[in-house]
Amino acid sequence: MMSSMVACSGPSASEKASASFHNSVSAARDALFEEAKVTNQGFFDLDESLGLAGGVTELPAEMDQYVMGNARGYVENLLQMVHRDHERTAPNTKAILIGPAVYDGPKMPALAEADARAEIVIERCIDARQSPQLNAQGNPIEGSDNVLHQILFLDHDKDGKLKIFETTSGKVDSCPLAA
């Protein structure tokens, strides 16, 4: 008889506190993911526009709102190489951004430090099959029309913005994320 009374009385104070804590952690995680989505989209759009423009000699200040650290260096080096080699993304095309999703795949020992520092780790795919890179002569660069699976490590910078500070990527036959 006593157990049925307990069952009818609703959750205990500790159960309510646990549920409240779980909901606040979940809400904070959701807010962080929403912030990561904004960073991801802004970075993708700016990177695409710079590729269409033929790269850069110097990374524009606008990019600093999306990347920092190693990721900034990777992006700058790649866009400078595109500029130096007179390459560009094929005109009137745009790669397709798939994702992001919170990354919950296997840990990568080589990126253990980045993983420990990251507030959130996301994954995405860039489908450039209809948006190849062109060489100086205007011909498609072999292998530039591919699908990349990328893992992005994000942390808040001293300016308070969530930024990508480390990345890893690899070509895949198909994106492991749902389109």
Side-chain angles (χ1 to χ4, degrees):
M1 180 91 154
M2 184 111 158
S3 63
S4 64
M5 286 177 56
V6 172
C8 292
S9 67
S12 70
S14 65
E15 288 171 329
K16 286 180 183 176
S18 176
S20 176
F21 174 75
H22 178 71
N23 289 340
S24 65
V25 168
S26 181
R29 190 174 31 234
D30 290 348
L32 185 60
F33 180 62
E34 289 303 314
E35 194 177 355
K37 285 170 43 176
V38 169
T39 298
N40 178 60
Q41 187 67 55
F43 170 61
F44 173 77
D45 291 340
L46 182 56
D47 193 47
E48 280 289 295
S49 69
L50 296 173
L52 284 163
V56 297
T57 55
E58 185 176 314
L59 207 57
E62 184 182 1
M63 187 61 85
D64 289 332
Q65 65 185 317
Y66 306 116
V67 295
M68 63 180 174
N70 288 343
R72 186 186 190 288
Y74 302 150
V75 171
E76 185 168 45
N77 289 339
L78 180 61
L79 289 169
Q80 286 174 338
M81 183 187 75
V82 166
H83 180 76
R84 182 192 67 233
D85 295 345
H86 305 286
E87 297 172 353
R88 69 182 60 251
T89 304
N92 304 313
T93 67
K94 185 170 181 167
I96 299 167
L97 175 62
I98 304 166
V102 174
Y103 180 72
D104 62 358
K107 300 287 184 195
M108 295 162 272
L111 294 169
E113 187 177 315
D115 193 48
R117 173 182 164 197
E119 288 183 63
I120 187 168
V121 181
I122 61 173
E123 62 182 322
R124 70 182 193 173
C125 292
I126 306 294
D127 183 344
R129 291 179 289 193
Q130 303 301 314
S131 184
Q133 286 292 112
L134 305 178
N135 64 20
Q137 293 73 38
N139 300 314
I141 297 172
E142 187 175 332
S144 69
D145 54 346
N146 56 43
V147 178
L148 285 178
H149 177 241
Q150 300 179 321
I151 300 170
L152 310 175
F153 298 82
L154 294 93
D155 190 11
H156 282 94
D157 197 359
K158 59 185 172 231
D159 64 6
K161 294 182 187 249
L162 187 66
K163 298 179 185 179
I164 302 160
F165 69 89
E166 186 66 76
T167 67
T168 184
S169 66
K171 292 180 185 178
V172 292
D173 292 329
S174 64
C175 182
L177 304 175

